[in-house]
Amino acid sequence: MVNFHLGFFALTTFIVLVCGASKNLPILSFDEGYSQLFGDDNLMVVKDGKSVHLTLDERTGSGFVSQDIYSQGFFSASIKLPADYTAGVVVAFYMSNGDMFQKNHDEVDFEFLGNIRGKDWRMQTNIYGNGSTNAGREERYGLWFDPSEDFHQYSILWTENQIIFYVDNVPIREFKRTATMGGDFPSKPMSLYATIWDGSDWATNGGKFRINYKYAPYIAKFSDLVLHGCAVDPTEQATKCDIAPKHDSIPTGITPEQRIRMQNFRKKHMQYSYCYDRARYTVPPAECVLDAKEAEGLRAFDPVTFQGVHRHRGKRHHRSRSSSSSQGEASST
């Protein structure tokens, strides 16, 4: 039975969510909103049921999934990543419907890619619609903090016409629906997932650096779990969004100051964007809105990729959602 006690709201009125601390958001306990996906005792619920530890060791990774599926909404968690040598480790916080739509699934991802000692974690965002994994709409970033030292809030806003990613309430990526995209914009109901798993084949320098299990167990900690969206009855594919209670921590727009913060983040910390990859796309996909400052920063970071000089690219890694229960894998490139 779908738990319709979760807050429903009229998503068409939302543009962006960037204000308010996570403590003011509608936080759920694990048992209220989530179920274990895989990992046996490598998943541990702590702190009065409102925090979860996901562990990866030689035996298995682990993960959890929302009990309901959602047609749009705001989804958030505070996450603390493993420290020390983390090459090959992938922590994912994402939405997907791969179990229901195996050939034409939608997906919205945060992926955190571990690194060798002395090198920083990298963060990646991916968006797939209607099974468009071959197109690829990835962006990759550095961060202005060490995500293994403390908890930081990572959030996704998904509406009918746009998707916004946030880090600590700062919007870092705004993805707008365009007519030319057709079904490539995620539009079918999705579940929320969180996983930790072994991505040695691709995650760190294209698989050059693999997991070293002498540093295990690797533990990703999740708290401040938020599911605030339109829950869907999976048998009827019907939503219940008629009642829209106002939540004080959810604003209705993005201020000029907030947009400047997003632009500054992207200029300083973005390391890859498919829109500027001339080796991959001679003509940027139609939804791309190019920014001269972003382009300049990316050329300085990687002049080969972002000036159109072709080079050999490593094998792309696609992960099947159908194997999530055994391997904790989340679709990506």
Side-chain angles (χ1 to χ4, degrees):
M1 227 19 220
V2 173
N3 297 323
F4 288 113
H5 68 277
L6 299 178
F8 304 121
F9 58 98
L11 292 156
T12 54
T13 64
F14 286 174
I15 297 177
V16 70
L17 303 176
V18 294
C19 296
S22 60
K23 65 181 181 180
N24 296 322
L25 292 170
I27 295 169
L28 291 178
S29 69
F30 184 84
D31 289 342
E32 285 181 295
Y34 307 88
S35 299
Q36 182 163 3
L37 181 65
F38 71 104
D40 301 322
D41 57 359
N42 275 11
L43 182 151
M44 182 173 65
V45 180
V46 298
K47 291 186 178 178
D48 299 325
K50 293 187 176 180
S51 294
V52 184
H53 291 181
L54 296 182
T55 296
L56 168 66
D57 54 28
E58 283 187 282
R59 183 174 56 90
T60 183
S62 53
F64 61 86
V65 61
S66 61
Q67 294 173 11
D68 292 341
I69 59 175
Y70 296 88
S71 177
Q72 307 170 39
F74 179 68
F75 309 92
S76 183
S78 293
I79 306 172
K80 183 178 180 182
L81 299 176
D84 205 358
Y85 184 98
T86 55
V89 177
V90 179
V91 176
F93 179 69
Y94 62 95
M95 304 197 70
S96 177
N97 49 33
D99 290 341
M100 294 180 291
F101 304 97
Q102 295 185 6
K103 295 183 178 180
N104 63 334
H105 83 287
D106 304 307
E107 192 168 314
V108 181
D109 297 342
F110 270 112
E111 289 182 317
F112 304 93
L113 311 179
N115 220 323
I116 60 176
R117 184 185 285 114
K119 298 293 185 178
D120 297 331
W121 278 86
R122 292 162 300 148
M123 181 179 68
Q124 181 165 286
T125 59
N126 299 330
I127 296 171
Y128 303 121
N130 205 32
S132 60
T133 54
N134 288 331
R137 292 181 167 91
E138 307 94 335
E139 289 189 353
R140 192 174 301 121
Y141 327 85
L143 291 165
W144 66 93
F145 52 82
D146 181 347
S148 69
E149 288 186 346
D150 205 349
F151 285 90
H152 292 270
Q153 183 185 1
Y154 305 90
S155 308
I156 298 168
L157 171 68
W158 171 37
T159 76
E160 182 180 3
N161 293 308
Q162 65 179 349
I163 294 166
I164 312 291
F165 295 87
Y166 309 87
V167 177
D168 289 339
N169 298 313
V170 176
I172 64 164
R173 181 178 183 183
E174 181 181 30
F175 185 81
K176 294 183 177 181
R177 185 175 198 159
T178 65
T180 56
M181 291 182 65
D184 282 4
F185 187 90
S187 57
K188 298 184 290 294
M190 294 190 281
S191 301
L192 182 75
Y193 294 83
T195 58
I196 185 171
W197 56 282
D198 186 337
S200 289
D201 290 343
W202 69 278
T204 308
N205 289 59
K208 180 179 179 181
F209 299 104
R210 304 178 66 83
I211 281 187
N212 186 337
Y213 280 105
K214 78 175 185 179
Y215 297 101
Y218 299 100
I219 302 175
K221 301 178 180 180
F222 290 75
S223 65
D224 299 335
L225 302 171
V226 176
L227 293 169
H228 193 72
C230 294
V232 175
D233 185 329
T235 62
E236 299 180 4
Q237 294 289 292
T239 62
K240 183 181 179 181
C241 295
D242 299 330
I243 302 173
K246 179 177 173 59
H247 199 283
D248 291 340
S249 67
I250 301 176
T252 58
I254 183 168
T255 68
E257 179 183 1
Q258 291 161 347
R259 188 165 294 279
I260 289 171
R261 294 183 71 187
M262 180 172 68
Q263 291 169 345
N264 287 339
F265 169 86
R266 294 174 65 80
K267 179 182 177 182
K268 295 177 181 178
H269 300 288
M270 188 164 67
Q271 300 174 357
Y272 177 84
S273 171
Y274 75 102
C275 284
Y276 300 90
D277 189 342
R278 295 293 181 261
R280 187 174 179 183
Y281 299 109
T282 55
V283 177
E287 74 273 6
C288 291
V289 179
L290 304 185
D291 180 282
K293 292 182 179 179
E294 289 182 1
E296 180 182 357
L298 289 172
R299 281 194 297 269
F301 182 79
D302 186 347
V304 176
T305 298
F306 300 111
Q307 288 187 3
V309 179
H310 288 268
R311 65 179 179 184
H312 174 75
R313 299 183 64 85
K315 181 180 178 181
R316 298 180 69 204
H317 179 83
H318 293 290
R319 288 165 278 144
S320 171
R321 287 300 180 206
S322 62
S323 64
S324 291
S325 60
S326 60
Q327 300 180 27
E329 295 185 345
S331 175
S332 174
T333 57

